[in-house]
Amino acid sequence: MEKRVINPWTWQDARSYVQAVEVRNSAGTLYVSGQTAIDDEGRSSTADMKTQLEQAIKNLEKVINQADYDCKNIVRLTIYTTSTEELWPHFKILQDWVEKHGMQQALTMLEVTGLFETLKVELEATVVK
């Protein structure tokens, strides 16, 4: 797989994403449904934003690893949140996770009026091989 990052500016570097990613000659593409803070028994979390973000990241990693893909090859990440104001103080958790895996992904964040049941944050990804 060949990956090319397109960044006409440098300001996005401090926000842990890239403007665009081109992928050529991939051996596969994994489209991951939005992952949230739902436990192994299917119970939605009622915890705070920080705890839910950490669980959503763990769940996303679990799906990607189960599919035999690597987090470093996430090329698109969409974050849905019920409150950007609640999420911002914990954004470093996401940035550290991106750095840990050496990701270079396009990123979109959306504030929505609601997610399933009591959930506050959802992570959706596209991963390549």
Side-chain angles (χ1 to χ4, degrees), residues 26-91:
S26 70
T29 304
L30 181 68
Y31 300 93
V32 184
S33 291
Q35 297 301 306
T36 59
I38 294 180
D39 68 18
D40 291 344
E41 285 75 42
R43 290 184 299 259
S44 295
S45 175
T46 58
D48 63 13
M49 181 66 80
K50 177 182 182 286
T51 303
Q52 286 201 24
L53 177 59
E54 291 169 337
Q55 184 63 53
I57 289 170
K58 286 179 190 172
N59 288 349
L60 181 58
E61 282 187 343
K62 186 173 188 173
V63 172
I64 291 168
N65 293 333
Q66 183 78 34
D68 205 24
Y69 280 71
D70 293 313
C71 289
K72 71 178 178 183
N73 290 328
I74 292 174
V75 294
R76 178 102 181 124
L77 183 65
T78 304
I79 303 168
Y80 301 93
T81 182
T82 56
S83 173
T84 52
E85 186 178 332
E86 280 184 67
L87 182 60
W88 283 127
H90 311 294
F91 199 71

Side-chain angles (χ1 to χ4, degrees), residues 79-129:
I79 303 168
Y80 301 93
T81 182
T82 56
S83 173
T84 52
E85 186 178 332
E86 280 184 67
L87 182 60
W88 283 127
H90 311 294
F91 199 71
K92 181 99 169 81
I93 293 168
L94 188 72
Q95 290 181 299
D96 290 346
W97 177 67
V98 166
E99 185 179 336
K100 170 184 159 188
H101 290 288
M103 292 181 213
Q104 291 184 300
Q105 79 292 337
L107 177 73
T108 299
M109 181 186 298
L110 300 158
E111 183 171 298
V112 296
T113 56
L115 292 170
F116 184 70
E117 296 180 338
T118 56
L119 300 170
K120 299 176 181 237
V121 63
E122 186 167 331
L123 306 175
E124 180 182 84
T126 303
V127 193
V128 295
K129 265 189 191 179

